Amino acid sequence: QVQLVESGGGLVQPGGSLRLSCAGSGSTFENCALGWFRQAPGKDREFVGGIAWSGRSRTYADSVKGRFAISRDNAKNTGYLHMNSLKPEDTAVYYCAADPFGPGSSSANDYNYWGQGTQVTVSS
């Protein structure tokens, strides 16, 4: 069992940066792929990026490539989503998810554990 708690969301101006954290509990966190998803009002949840359980591969949605980056610190049981050059269309609730021994899939169905989400609002 893995519990996930996101933090770091908030209000930021266009062009600004935020770093989201995903704190995990449970002994299997280091063996889990981490995925980041987001959901804007009235829209479906969409994949943002993922990192394999090994940390050796990362994938990103086209909409965030070159602006967002995923990292993890297994010693702290924490994953991160570094967001730069934020745009108003990045406004959403951001979720992290964990998939034991997964590749960092872009499919939400592949993830067993989810956090409650953190709100990111990009506005001037």
Side-chain angles (χ1 to χ4, degrees), residues 82-114:
H82 307 264
M83 305 187 295
N84 300 308
S85 302
L86 283 161
K87 305 174 181 180
E89 51 264 44
D90 294 318
T91 295
V93 177
Y94 284 71
Y95 300 88
C96 67
D99 172 21
F101 297 103
S105 168
S106 62
S107 173
N109 291 334
D110 289 338
Y111 292 86
N112 303 81
Y113 308 105
W114 290 81

Side-chain angles (χ1 to χ4, degrees), residues 13 38 58 60 106:
Q13 292 187 342
R38 67 186 181 186
R58 295 168 175 82
Y60 298 96
S106 62

Side-chain angles (χ1 to χ4, degrees), residues 34-91:
L34 296 179
W36 287 92
F37 294 78
R38 67 186 181 186
Q39 188 166 19
K43 295 187 176 181
D44 293 334
R45 188 171 298 189
E46 65 173 355
F47 174 73
V48 175
I51 182 169
W53 75 273
S54 65
R56 293 175 183 166
S57 65
R58 295 168 175 82
T59 57
Y60 298 96
D62 288 343
S63 59
V64 306
K65 277 182 182 175
R67 300 189 299 122
F68 291 11
I70 293 173
S71 64
R72 65 189 300 161
D73 184 343
N74 287 339
K76 296 181 178 180
N77 271 12
T78 302
Y80 302 97
L81 179 65
H82 307 264
M83 305 187 295
N84 300 308
S85 302
L86 283 161
K87 305 174 181 180
E89 51 264 44
D90 294 318
T91 295

Side-chain angles (χ1 to χ4, degrees), residues 5-11 17-22 83 118-120:
V5 178
E6 302 95 336
S7 61
L11 174 64
S17 299
L18 278 177
R19 187 186 75 170
L20 304 184
S21 298
C22 175
M83 305 187 295
T118 184
Q119 175 70 47
V120 172

